[in-house]
Amino acid sequence: MDLKKFKEENAPRKGGGKFQLENPKLLDIEIDGAVMAKIGSMIAYSGDISFEQKSSGGIKGFLKKSVTGEGSIMMKAEGEGHLYLADQAKEVQVLELDEDEEISVNGNDILAFEKNVGWDIKMMKSFGGAAAGGLFNVFLEGPGYIAITTHGDPLVLPTPVRTDPDATVAWSSNVSPDINTDRNLKGFLGRPSGETYQLEFPKEDGFVVVQPFEEVFPEE
């Protein structure tokens, strides 16, 4: 491929809305005001954009940031221009929340959302080193666009369902997980097994987003 063709085929797309995928792993946000984005996700920007680290707000957010550090996962990008985001070559999923629609997203899997989207950070219960359950989730309420990331194409399962915490990306706001322990899987095949601990969503009429990958985080 000659240089001219390479430039043409990989140039930013025109049009396509405020949250536009340049490719499955790269998000282009047209900013005229402000958006919230995951710290460390900016790969490039054009125009006049400034960045500010943010917590989830008020004394509550300050305390979370001070005690656990979770309050510092987001940054505000403000100004005018184009902001290009990616996160470890994960697939980007763009969703539009209607007014009063809510979703809970694993803190590691949130990429960006419009500034008018309501958000809060909530700690999840810690259990047996299972990563998603020992960290935190970001609760998002519409209206507005949000972008989340997955390793590979996601699968959206109706509840009731049980999932591997390390493969769980998000779930609808009308369900919440309990912890289920399967002692028969403990130390399966001579290694620590994430399947020992499961997130159990017993309530009906909800959904859970999982990915074909287990994100294993180092234990503190």
Side-chain angles (χ1 to χ4, degrees), residues 113-174:
F113 51 88
E114 291 189 274
K115 188 174 182 293
N116 57 295
V117 170
W119 66 293
D120 191 18
I121 297 169
K122 297 184 180 181
M123 292 295 296
M124 304 302 295
K125 295 178 181 177
S126 179
F127 57 99
L135 296 179
F136 54 94
N137 270 39
V138 181
F139 285 73
L140 302 168
E141 181 178 6
Y145 283 99
I146 70 171
I148 65 176
T149 57
T150 60
H151 286 279
D153 294 332
L155 179 66
V156 181
L157 297 169
T159 59
V161 69
R162 293 177 180 178
T163 66
D164 183 331
D166 299 321
T168 304
V169 174
W171 56 82
S172 56
S173 63
N174 64 323

Side-chain angles (χ1 to χ4, degrees), residues 14 31 56 67 79 84 111 118 134 152 163 180 182 196 198 200 203 219:
K14 295 182 179 179
I31 296 180
S56 56
V67 175
Y84 301 97
L111 182 64
T163 66
N180 181 70
D182 191 337
T196 302
Q198 300 146 11
E200 181 176 9
K203 188 176 178 180
E219 296 185 26

Side-chain angles (χ1 to χ4, degrees), residues 40-205:
S41 64
M42 186 274 290
I43 61 169
Y45 69 92
S46 62
D48 184 12
I49 300 175
S50 61
F51 301 90
E52 178 185 359
Q53 183 172 302
K54 300 293 288 185
S55 67
S56 56
I59 297 297
K60 186 178 180 182
F62 173 77
L63 290 174
K64 287 178 181 176
K65 178 179 176 181
S66 300
V67 175
T68 67
E70 288 82 29
S72 62
I73 66 168
M74 304 304 297
M75 63 181 178
K76 181 173 73 172
E78 187 170 20
E80 185 175 354
H82 283 264
L83 174 63
Y84 301 97
L85 304 177
D87 187 9
Q88 300 181 32
K90 295 166 69 175
E91 307 283 339
V92 180
Q93 318 294 334
V94 177
L95 309 174
E96 183 178 7
L97 299 180
D98 291 334
E99 188 172 0
D100 297 327
E101 280 190 323
E102 298 179 64
I103 190 171
S104 174
V105 183
N106 186 309
N108 191 57
D109 300 318
I110 186 71
L111 182 64
F113 51 88
E114 291 189 274
K115 188 174 182 293
N116 57 295
V117 170
W119 66 293
D120 191 18
I121 297 169
K122 297 184 180 181
M123 292 295 296
M124 304 302 295
K125 295 178 181 177
S126 179
F127 57 99
L135 296 179
F136 54 94
N137 270 39
V138 181
F139 285 73
L140 302 168
E141 181 178 6
Y145 283 99
I146 70 171
I148 65 176
T149 57
T150 60
H151 286 279
D153 294 332
L155 179 66
V156 181
L157 297 169
T159 59
V161 69
R162 293 177 180 178
T163 66
D164 183 331
D166 299 321
T168 304
V169 174
W171 56 82
S172 56
S173 63
N174 64 323
V175 297
S176 59
D178 296 324
I179 299 166
N180 181 70
T181 304
D182 191 337
R183 298 296 180 185
N184 292 326
L185 288 171
K186 190 173 183 179
F188 184 61
L189 295 180
R191 61 181 291 272
S193 174
E195 289 83 1
T196 302
Y197 300 92
Q198 300 146 11
L199 295 181
E200 181 176 9
F201 297 85
K203 188 176 178 180
E204 296 183 350
D205 299 323

